[in-house]
Amino acid sequence: MADQVPEVQAPARPQQHAKYPWPKPDESAVIGKRLIRVDGPEKVSGRAKYTYDINRPGMLHARILRSPHAHARVVSIDLSAAQKAPGVKAALAVLEPGKKAMYQGDEVAAVAAATEEQARDALRLIKVEYEVLPHVATEGRALQSGAPAVFEGGNIKEGEAEESGDLEAGFKSAAHIVEASYETQVQTHVCLETKGCVCEWEGDKLTAWISTQAVHGSREGFAEALQIPQANVRTVCEYMGGGFGSKFGPDAQGVICAKLAKLAAAPVKLMLDRKEEHLAGGNRPSSTSKIKAGVAADGTCVAFDAESHGTGGAGVGAGFPIPYIYTFPNRRRRHKDVYTNAGPARAMRAPGHPQGCYATELLMDELADKVRMDPVAFRMKNLPPEAPNAMWRQYFPKAAEQFGWSKRHPTGDPTPGPVKRGMGCAANRWGGGGRGTKAHVEILPDGGVVVRCGTQDIGTGARTIVTMVAAETLGLPYTAVKAEIGDSLHPFSGGSGGSTTSASVTPAIRVTAGKAFDALAARVAPSLGVQPADLVARDGRISSKADPSKGLDWKAACRLLGTEPVAVDGEWEAGLSASGTSGVQFAEVEVDIETGVTRVTRLLCVQDCGLVLDPLTAESQCIGGIIMGVNWALYEDRILDRNTGQMVNPNMEWYHLAGMSDIPQIEVVLVNQAERGVIGIGEPPTVSTAAAIGNAVNNAIGVRVRSLPMTPYRILDAIAAQARAGGTL
């Protein structure tokens, strides 16, 4: 459905100065076209090699022994029996006696053996004596006086209070006040490809084939952990199956794998299984927001007072922005991070923003109901001023028209029958700016073009847009360019996080390919009797701008290089990318009030991301983010047993994810702000989905469900609570 929706055009703004500017949309041959991914055939045919597919001669298999306890001190550890087990070549203790395991799944020891089965068997022979310590599994318990301490300093880290305006005066001016709490759950990353690597030493030099979002960052991580020079580490990631923020370094399993490979003097593969991924692979922190907000009779938001907390597990913050986007002139917010004995959080696709969006957007609907205003009109009244990165004033009405918002009924579907229908909306924002990536381009005498960059493709199409930008710059079809990425031997690029990859990498490719063409033009111009600056590359031909008859086809021009190729280095330059995105989403749901089952039927996403390089991959990013938002809204939930601190659903049977039949109709409207340059789009589309769904559920059943996930139990419980209070559907 995405390609059937017309684009929304943003107002024109002058592009920043750049020596190699992006082509105008009507002059582009490759950029802006709907092109399939260059690595698509490799992936669907199974030829693409992921980390798990790497098999080295004489390779061993490693497994990690993990703490069964949520909190325990290692008293002693005996590896001797495991070291003598069949096939075992190396064993090591990760937690030395006296050290603490901070959560179920914390790394305790590891072995490497000839087969994975032998490694698993050897783990059972490791004798560990634990002193089991009191644990805290829930935020509620952690906040109680006298709760067991996760860390010596306690279970709470108070953040700095934020306050502006006159809160007391703001509430006095309010015609209506809403007081409510909004909660979101812990969500694990659930990457399709689990974390892991293959490590091989050659003398004092390490090569690691690793599933990573940061090829160069992982090299640095290995070097620091192993105390060896970065020059002695090579990291490779040709393909990887999802990261969402959890794969920026070697982590414990990578370092353990490298150490075992050193001890065994053999290559070692260590990949986490699904349970380990849930326990130790990272997660999105929870959030609880207790909010008091005031609105004037005319629908103007006048006051906002919030206390919030969340848990990132054992030692990681859980912050999130509230109020989100909308203007409250008088506001205060106090936040605390709560520590629990659970796997630590990691950055996860738009860290903090989904939590802040959910609380704020549900609040906005409640305030709109108080003043009997349409939720879209209410939001329009309380938006900040319009800016290139804040275009909600345009997007809300356009999306409402596209979605059929005028057909929305007031809160609570009055039609007979158990299935109630409703609509909701929400907005998002994000950064997505660029940074210092470097690149190398070679033009070979036979006409071949090779582009090298140390970025990585985490499944988003980075390899494709590298190819596209080089092809556009050199006037070639994108099939004529070979992109080599995913190797720390290539020029530096940062990690794929914060939606910064496209805005970092493509300017570097544009600049470097432009410099390469300039070098080629300098070699070709004398044979055509023109100045190098007069030459242009277009449609596989190099010719004079003033007289197109003076020219050569690409391969003929490259033959003039003789035996010496053009080889050029370049880097990211300002002017080709920007920062700041905005978007809105509208959701339609059906809720069966007899079973509590919620089904999302339609979702509309209006999203900008600067210059749209490939609408096909950009839409794919939006769709993927939206599906993740549907999962967060309705299904995913890490459940810990409060008595043991153990996760009760660390598998794909009880940690629920949407199936194909649960995916709604998704429409994507891309706003092409070409004049702003490239901006990342990976994160913003996942921010507002759950909030839009939450508001749609309320519109359907007339009852607020303020906690995620909105499971059938929570839906039925909310309906029953309203019935007990004398309300009706």
Side-chain angles (χ1 to χ4, degrees), residues 8-17 21-25 384-395 398 575-582 607-611 671-679:
V8 176
Q9 294 299 320
R13 301 171 191 82
Q15 183 177 339
Q16 298 178 24
H17 171 74
W22 297 113
K24 297 177 181 178
E386 185 174 293
N389 62 348
M391 299 296 294
W392 305 289
R393 291 185 186 279
Q394 289 199 27
Y395 300 166
K398 290 180 181 293
L576 294 172
S577 63
S579 180
T581 63
S582 55
Q607 186 67 51
D608 61 47
C609 64
L611 171 64
V671 183
N672 192 358
Q673 298 179 327
E675 68 288 337
R676 297 188 68 204
V678 178
I679 306 171

Side-chain angles (χ1 to χ4, degrees), residues 10-233:
R13 301 171 191 82
Q15 183 177 339
Q16 298 178 24
H17 171 74
K19 183 178 179 181
Y20 302 100
W22 297 113
K24 297 177 181 178
D26 58 349
E27 297 176 353
S28 173
V30 180
I31 290 175
K33 304 301 185 287
R34 300 179 65 84
L35 301 177
I36 63 172
R37 302 184 189 210
V38 296
D39 53 9
E42 296 291 311
K43 290 182 175 180
V44 299
S45 66
R47 295 193 300 269
K49 297 296 183 184
Y50 292 81
T51 301
Y52 192 86
D53 299 316
I54 302 299
N55 293 297
R56 304 295 297 167
M59 188 180 73
L60 306 175
H61 298 264
R63 301 306 307 167
I64 297 174
L65 179 68
R66 297 181 179 275
S67 171
H69 307 291
H71 198 195
R73 180 180 288 105
V74 174
V75 176
S76 65
I77 183 166
D78 184 354
L79 302 174
S80 59
Q83 290 168 328
K84 298 173 184 176
V88 172
K89 303 299 181 182
L92 61 85
V94 178
L95 282 184
E96 298 292 342
K99 300 294 184 181
K100 292 180 182 179
M102 299 301 296
Y103 54 91
Q104 178 206 13
D106 210 347
E107 298 84 4
V108 176
V111 299
T115 68
E116 188 171 345
E117 293 76 14
Q118 289 174 327
R120 289 185 182 275
D121 288 343
L123 289 185
R124 301 186 184 98
L125 300 176
I126 299 175
K127 298 177 182 178
V128 183
E129 181 183 352
Y130 295 99
E131 177 191 353
V132 179
L133 303 172
H135 71 272
V136 178
T138 67
E139 295 165 70
R141 179 70 177 114
L143 289 167
Q144 290 176 357
S145 175
V150 178
F151 297 105
E152 290 184 5
N155 299 334
I156 298 171
K157 180 181 178 182
E158 297 276 359
E160 292 186 11
E162 305 168 11
E163 188 168 357
S164 62
D166 188 333
L167 198 62
E168 183 178 355
F171 279 115
K172 284 183 179 179
S173 69
H176 304 280
I177 292 176
V178 168
E179 293 188 69
S181 291
Y182 307 92
E183 298 178 347
T184 67
Q185 77 283 31
V186 172
Q187 176 189 26
T188 69
H189 282 77
V190 205
C191 306
L192 184 60
E193 178 194 28
T194 62
K195 298 171 185 63
C197 60
V198 174
C199 289
E200 182 174 3
W201 291 87
E202 185 176 347
D204 60 353
K205 293 181 171 57
L206 171 68
T207 299
W209 292 265
I210 180 172
S211 178
T212 183
Q213 295 175 240
V215 169
H216 284 92
S218 292
R219 181 185 68 176
E220 180 181 353
F222 274 115
E224 182 177 350
L226 300 171
Q227 297 185 330
I228 60 176
Q230 289 187 33
N232 286 14
V233 181

Side-chain angles (χ1 to χ4, degrees), residues 226-272:
L226 300 171
Q227 297 185 330
I228 60 176
Q230 289 187 33
N232 286 14
V233 181
R234 179 190 179 192
T235 48
V236 182
C237 182
E238 284 288 327
Y239 296 93
M240 65 95 74
F244 315 121
S246 67
K247 295 182 177 178
F248 282 113
D251 298 327
Q253 69 274 356
V255 176
I256 289 169
C257 184
K259 289 181 176 180
L260 288 170
K262 191 73 169 179
L263 287 171
V268 172
K269 178 186 289 185
L270 200 171
M271 301 294 295
L272 302 191

Side-chain angles (χ1 to χ4, degrees), residues 347-529:
M348 186 168 184
R349 205 166 189 171
H353 282 233
Q355 297 98 312
C357 177
Y358 182 77
T360 305
E361 290 286 7
L362 265 65
L363 171 70
M364 293 299 285
D365 260 32
E366 297 203 50
L367 293 171
D369 279 353
K370 287 289 187 183
V371 293
R372 300 184 181 277
M373 284 184 67
D374 174 84
V376 169
F378 181 74
R379 284 167 169 78
M380 294 282 287
K381 190 174 184 67
N382 292 284
L383 284 168
E386 185 174 293
N389 62 348
M391 299 296 294
W392 305 289
R393 291 185 186 279
Q394 289 199 27
Y395 300 166
F396 266 123
K398 290 180 181 293
E401 182 180 2
Q402 174 74 29
F403 199 68
W405 185 257
S406 60
K407 299 177 182 178
R408 176 186 181 272
H409 54 71
T411 299
D413 185 354
T415 58
V419 177
K420 305 298 183 181
R421 295 170 178 83
M423 296 182 185
C425 64
N428 67 62
R429 60 183 170 88
W430 191 251
R435 56 192 179 196
T437 285
K438 302 179 186 297
H440 177 83
V441 172
E442 290 185 9
I443 301 174
L444 305 173
D446 67 353
V449 176
V450 180
V451 182
R452 296 186 179 93
C453 181
T455 189
Q456 50 284 313
D457 192 334
I458 65 173
T460 56
R463 184 180 275 102
T464 300
I465 59 173
V466 165
T467 304
M468 289 176 64
V469 171
E472 178 74 54
T473 308
L474 299 174
L476 297 170
Y478 83 124
T479 54
V481 175
K482 180 182 181 183
E484 295 184 358
I485 64 173
D487 194 321
S488 63
L489 295 181
H490 298 331
F492 173 82
S493 187
S496 292
S499 300
T500 60
T501 303
S502 294
S504 301
V505 171
T506 56
I509 304 302
R510 179 70 172 173
V511 168
T512 310
K515 292 170 67 175
F517 175 74
D518 290 348
L520 177 62
R523 306 276 285 274
V524 172
S527 66
L528 297 175

